[in-house]
Amino acid sequence: MKISVIGTGYVGLVTGVCLSEIGHFVTCIDIDEKKVNMMKQGISPIYEPGLEDLMKKNIKGGRLNFSSDHKSSFVNSDVIYIAVGTPQKMSGAADLSYIEEAAKSIAYHITSDTVVVTKSTVPVGTNDYIKDIIINNLSNDVKVSIVSNPEFLREGSAVNDTFNGDRIVIGTDNKYVADFMEDIYRNLDIPVFKTDIRSAEMIKYASNAFLATKISFINEIANICEKVGADIEDIAIGMGQDKRIGKDFLKAGIGYGGSCFPKDTNALVQIAGNNEHNFELLKSVIKVNNNQQKTLVNRLVNRFAELKGRRIAILGIAFKPNTDDIREAASIVIINELAKLGADIIAYDPIAIENAKKILPKEISYASSVNDALSDADAALILTEWEEIKEINLSKLSNTMKEPILFDGRNCFSLEEVRVSNVEYHSIGRPSLERKLAAL
């Protein structure tokens, strides 16, 4: 089929490239000419493992193209995907301005019957709004069908998730269109769930809100564990073996971040409020997460009392490994707090430093490696569980740092490893381990 995708962010670009990989002819559209020219050369504007290889393969195969021209891109398109951003407003509601622009562009330029598919995460009722915009602005006498087809991709593994997802959700009130959409994905061996449009919209928000709830729940349990002397790692394993609960998203740490969970949880609270429902549970989930992001700062202050002038190494800035995305990352909250307290901060991340420089305080310095960041540091904070950070040789920290003092916000190391390394170690939901000083 001939498919157009509006938007080349994480969702749009991954969706377009993967659709071309399963045999469709895809044009990805972006208004940024420089970005389009870069993508035409097979260069991805985002860091996503495996994506560039697929881009180059399908560009060469003639199935993938990039354009900034909506009109020519829509000619003879069977399907147009909307995959633009829906950033969070100050109120917590989703900003639909990019959605509105995309809908109007479709209305102005399509010349044949078209299926319009919303991939963007949008509040319940938005697809009906999109349909109204298109119908009211059509330049030609054509039929338009609307489908809600939410994405469930994880940054850092989005390509793999596309080909190995748990389900494909198709929301439409037209059985023919539902079958048509299922046929688009026929080369993916993934179960398809068909429902109405508004239920599909809600499935996306409900899924992310539930996962965020699991994260905040396990972090609250971790905080109790520290008070009663239990080990959150064992707790999570014991809980996760119950099939009703499941093991995923029971990893204690410094809270969730990224482009989805914070935005979607706030948006769902807003949606509930707009419909006269006080979503108390989700409000608590958000509050717990906000507090959890400051956990390491509070512990650092308790440990040193005065942070002014102390050299603090930050290991990891991205909100999770295998991405350069720092949106709503706990690292931003932590680094800003430490900067206010006068700490001398040196940060390292293998991918996200350039993005960090755009929003973090100017006085932050950056290291080119883990060892450079640790050199002569008074303490180190692990904020992202990159593999190279998890491979730090703890026994050698005393040769690099002023004192081997480690605050692990992602529980990267087992307590057994730490005990034989002779470092001072503070983690989440587990006992702190003090360094054993050599006898005089």
Side-chain angles (χ1 to χ4, degrees), residues 329-398:
S331 62
I332 298 173
V333 175
I334 292 168
I335 291 171
N336 283 329
E337 288 293 317
L338 292 178
K340 290 177 185 176
L341 295 171
D344 174 18
I345 303 167
I346 182 165
Y348 171 74
D349 190 284
I351 300 295
I353 286 178
E354 290 307 312
N355 285 339
K357 288 179 179 178
K358 298 173 185 176
I359 65 169
L360 290 177
K362 300 299 182 185
E363 60 266 29
I364 307 302
S365 57
Y366 299 91
S368 59
S369 68
V370 172
N371 284 337
D372 285 345
L374 292 172
S375 180
D376 210 28
D378 290 291
L381 276 60
I382 297 179
L383 306 185
T384 314
E385 61 275 33
W386 288 98
E387 280 302 316
E388 63 180 290
I389 292 172
K390 291 162 66 176
E391 293 171 358
I392 292 173
N393 188 332
L394 298 179
S395 298
K396 294 184 177 180
L397 288 184
S398 58

Side-chain angles (χ1 to χ4, degrees), residues 90-119:
M90 291 296 292
S91 65
D95 182 349
L96 299 179
S97 57
Y98 299 116
I99 291 283
E100 292 165 354
E101 290 175 13
K104 288 178 181 177
S105 180
I106 291 169
Y108 298 152
H109 298 307
I110 57 173
T111 57
S112 58
D113 293 352
T114 308
V115 175
V116 176
V117 182
T118 307
K119 269 289 181 190

Side-chain angles (χ1 to χ4, degrees), residues 148-164:
S148 175
N149 179 212
E151 53 82 20
F152 302 97
L153 307 178
R154 298 168 298 171
E155 290 182 35
S157 58
V159 172
N160 180 69
D161 289 347
T162 301
F163 297 123
N164 301 283

Side-chain angles (χ1 to χ4, degrees), residues 273-317:
N274 291 342
N275 289 276
E276 300 181 348
H277 179 77
N278 181 18
F279 206 150
E280 293 187 31
L281 173 61
L282 198 52
K283 287 180 179 178
S284 296
V285 167
I286 295 167
K287 182 179 179 180
V288 167
N289 193 67
N290 291 340
N291 291 337
Q292 194 70 15
Q293 291 181 332
K294 298 177 182 178
T295 297
L296 292 190
V297 176
N298 295 334
R299 294 184 184 182
L300 203 58
V301 170
N302 289 337
R303 171 62 176 79
F304 288 103
E306 178 63 61
L307 293 182
K308 188 173 182 179
R310 288 196 178 273
R311 188 170 178 81
I312 307 298
I314 300 295
L315 304 181
I317 304 173

Side-chain angles (χ1 to χ4, degrees), residues 167-236:
R167 78 289 202 199
I168 294 170
V169 174
I170 296 171
T172 178
D173 301 319
N174 185 311
K175 183 181 184 305
Y176 168 79
V177 173
D179 293 341
F180 172 83
M181 286 300 301
E182 184 174 14
D183 193 47
I184 288 177
Y185 297 114
R186 68 183 182 278
N187 289 333
L188 296 175
D189 187 22
I190 299 175
V192 172
F193 177 67
K194 301 173 187 176
T195 184
D196 62 273
I197 288 178
R198 295 200 170 202
S199 294
E201 291 170 328
M202 182 59 88
I203 286 169
K204 169 64 176 178
Y205 279 110
S207 297
N208 278 355
F210 184 75
L211 296 176
T213 299
K214 288 187 75 173
I215 293 171
S216 283
F217 180 84
I218 200 66
N219 282 332
E220 283 285 76
I221 297 297
N223 294 333
I224 298 172
C225 284
E226 292 177 13
K227 297 178 184 297
V228 301
D231 187 327
I232 192 60
E233 301 287 296
D234 288 344
I235 305 300

Side-chain angles (χ1 to χ4, degrees), residues 314-327:
I314 300 295
L315 304 181
I317 304 173
F319 87 93
K320 62 181 288 189
N322 298 319
T323 180
D324 60 353
D325 196 349
I326 63 171
R327 286 175 288 181

